[in-house]
Amino acid sequence: MHADLSRLTFRPERHYSAVVAQQGRVQLDADINEQTAIQLHQARTLAADLIGRHGGPRDAAGFKIDYVGGKHDIDTLHIRGGRYYVDGILLDATRPAPGVPVPDDDTAEQEQDAAAPPAYWTYWDQPDGFRDPERPGDRLPSPATSPFVVYLNVWERAVSAAEDPALREVALGAAMPDTAARVKVVWQVLPLSLAALDIEETDPSKEVVRAAFDKWARKQATPTARLAARSERPDHAHEDPCLVKPDARYRGPENQLYRVEVHAGGEAKDATFKWSRENGSVVFPVDELDGTWVQLAALGHDDKLDLDVGDHVELTDTAYASRLEPLPLLRVEELDLPGRRVRLSAEPDQSVGRLPHLNPFLRRWDHHGGPKRKGRTTALKGGAVPVAEGEWLPLEDGVEVYFAKGATYRTGDHWIIPARTATGRVEWPTDAARRPLLQAPSGIVRGFAPLALVKGEGGTVDLRLAFNPLASSIPAADEATLAAEEQARREEQLAEDPSGGRSQTTADAEAAAEGDE
């Protein structure tokens, strides 16, 4: 997640069940965040174990899909409300009812006559989908040509006060920084062709579609990219690890949390990456765009968290953050500090940053050029650093990264690298010989679930799964059975204690009375 963190410490393989605070100790963000991660991991693992990879409650299962096409100007889907679970993550498709404003006297009758919005989402207005009818790639396929599958794409992303101003506590004052960020579950209902699932049948059964989809989903959810990180080592270090030059270490003046993130995905020859020493958390809300000039709502609080000429920035908004599509990174060419304006190297894409309700913002990245090879700096591609596999690539201050060969890269996947001045090293797993180990990305974790097979006029086949509640009513027991069980219990008690639990005095008195009779 893009947030101002010290580090991320949750590791499921350590099997920690709780974080225990100790008196008189320093409290760190990493400890609190690890407790949250432990609880989420336990709850979602339990839900996935009980439910399976995906499913919804039988009486309230959400994401029922209805295809609406033919007579309409543009085909769409109706997404019905309810709950559904994917990999243990709860999704809610229920569309919230809008608030009703207090009417003015002259508009009261008009307000009453206004039609209420539908209780379902559509393919075009789903909250995190941001599909655009003007983009051919966003349009739904025609089921008249070939049936297609509708599925859920689920993942999580961080949201800061730059993207959601409601997170900022105004009582702290306009100059105060934001407080805690949030993690948002993103669900998107998307189409998928049968060809993508390697299904050749024109009318496949539910079982065939589900089996093919599961195979496709496992491939999509498993990243192939691997990265290792280290603080720079001298050329002769492989001969004797104890011989390390004084400058062969992390040389930054401060502790940092480096973030290496895939910008443009694909094969290595096409892929690019970007990096930040602040975990990509340095952002600036945008008020207005005017050609290459960007009007910012505020600048950074100090030189470390500000913009400077030569910085590379990413202009994005809620829609593009959810679409996970790369845009060219632009260079800051000029600063107008009194006017809170910056001039960029090119005009931003027309499809991003123009709608205030999508909360556009600039995100700063800290690479100024590609790594140096043979004394020459590698040229950037679209403002990002080209991926080079099988070699150590320097970032800055002795920090280097290594991409494994033969991988395919996905936009948004990232690795987190803590660098510490106390040790002069980066915190990265190593083997017994202190060689850095290749690691899968820290995220993004993606989940998938099939919802429907759309056949057009032939109808829509529901591919969802449902589960029944575990609780049920207690069955009424037979009275004779209850009486027999009670008699057996009493006889067992008398066998163990002839007095029946009475005191010895009471038992003697009763025996004497029987003798008098």
Side-chain angles (χ1 to χ4, degrees), residues 182-487:
R182 303 294 189 272
V183 177
K184 180 179 182 178
V185 174
V186 175
W187 60 260
Q188 297 166 326
V189 173
L190 303 173
L192 185 66
S193 68
L194 293 183
L197 298 176
D198 295 328
I199 297 177
E200 298 180 356
E201 302 176 44
T202 57
D203 189 17
S205 65
K206 282 186 178 183
E207 291 71 20
V208 169
V209 175
R210 284 173 177 158
F213 185 89
D214 288 345
K215 181 179 178 181
W216 175 87
R218 284 193 296 270
K219 183 177 179 181
Q220 298 299 315
T222 305
T224 62
R226 297 289 186 273
L227 178 137
R230 71 180 187 185
S231 51
E232 186 181 1
R233 300 179 66 187
D235 294 337
H236 61 274
H238 64 279
E239 300 173 1
D240 187 351
C242 297
L243 299 177
V244 179
K245 295 180 181 178
D247 63 344
R249 63 195 306 273
Y250 170 59
R251 300 184 294 275
E254 297 181 356
N255 299 317
Q256 301 290 358
L257 185 63
Y258 285 90
R259 181 189 188 93
V260 176
E261 181 174 318
V262 177
H263 183 64
E267 302 296 327
K269 61 183 178 61
D270 303 316
T272 60
F273 72 95
K274 53 203 174 187
W275 62 264
S276 164
R277 66 178 70 93
E278 304 288 345
N279 191 31
S281 65
V282 181
V283 295
F284 306 89
V286 171
D287 279 345
E288 186 180 358
L289 293 178
D290 183 11
T292 59
W293 283 96
V294 180
Q295 177 78 47
L296 303 177
L299 293 172
H301 297 282
D302 53 37
D303 293 339
K304 178 184 175 184
L305 302 177
D306 216 335
L307 286 173
D308 202 354
V309 172
D311 287 342
H312 282 86
V313 294
E314 179 180 13
L315 177 64
T316 187
D317 56 24
T318 298
Y320 260 86
S322 294
R323 288 181 65 98
L324 280 179
E325 295 178 355
L327 289 167
L329 300 181
L330 304 176
R331 187 177 182 272
V332 176
E333 300 289 349
E334 185 179 350
L335 293 174
D336 174 16
L337 296 180
R340 302 195 314 275
R341 299 193 307 159
V342 297
R343 183 171 64 84
L344 304 179
S345 55
E347 185 175 354
D349 191 284
Q350 292 294 323
S351 62
V352 65
R354 266 71 181 182
L355 300 176
H357 71 276
L358 293 179
N359 298 308
F361 58 94
L362 286 181
R363 189 184 304 280
R364 190 191 78 186
W365 296 94
D366 294 321
H367 61 274
H368 283 193
K372 291 185 177 181
R373 299 196 188 106
K374 299 180 181 179
R376 301 179 60 184
T377 301
T378 305
L380 299 178
K381 184 192 297 183
V385 185
V387 168
E389 295 181 330
E391 59 180 296
W392 286 100
L393 306 176
L395 302 186
E396 68 172 5
D397 293 331
V399 179
E400 297 181 336
V401 296
Y402 179 99
F403 290 97
K405 294 182 179 180
T408 301
Y409 298 86
R410 307 182 307 183
T411 296
D413 280 357
H414 57 272
W415 294 263
I416 303 298
I417 309 168
R420 297 295 181 254
T421 59
T423 60
R425 297 177 180 174
V426 298
E427 295 183 355
W428 193 264
T430 60
D431 62 7
R434 293 180 58 186
R435 293 175 299 183
L437 300 176
L438 292 166
Q439 299 288 299
S442 304
I444 299 170
V445 179
R446 295 163 168 85
F448 305 93
L451 296 176
L453 175 64
V454 176
K455 297 182 177 181
E457 294 182 359
T460 300
V461 179
D462 198 340
L463 297 176
R464 298 173 301 159
L465 300 177
F467 57 87
N468 289 316
L470 293 177
S472 61
S473 60
I474 299 175
D478 183 80
E479 293 184 2
T481 302
L482 288 176
E485 290 176 351
E486 178 64 18
Q487 181 62 29

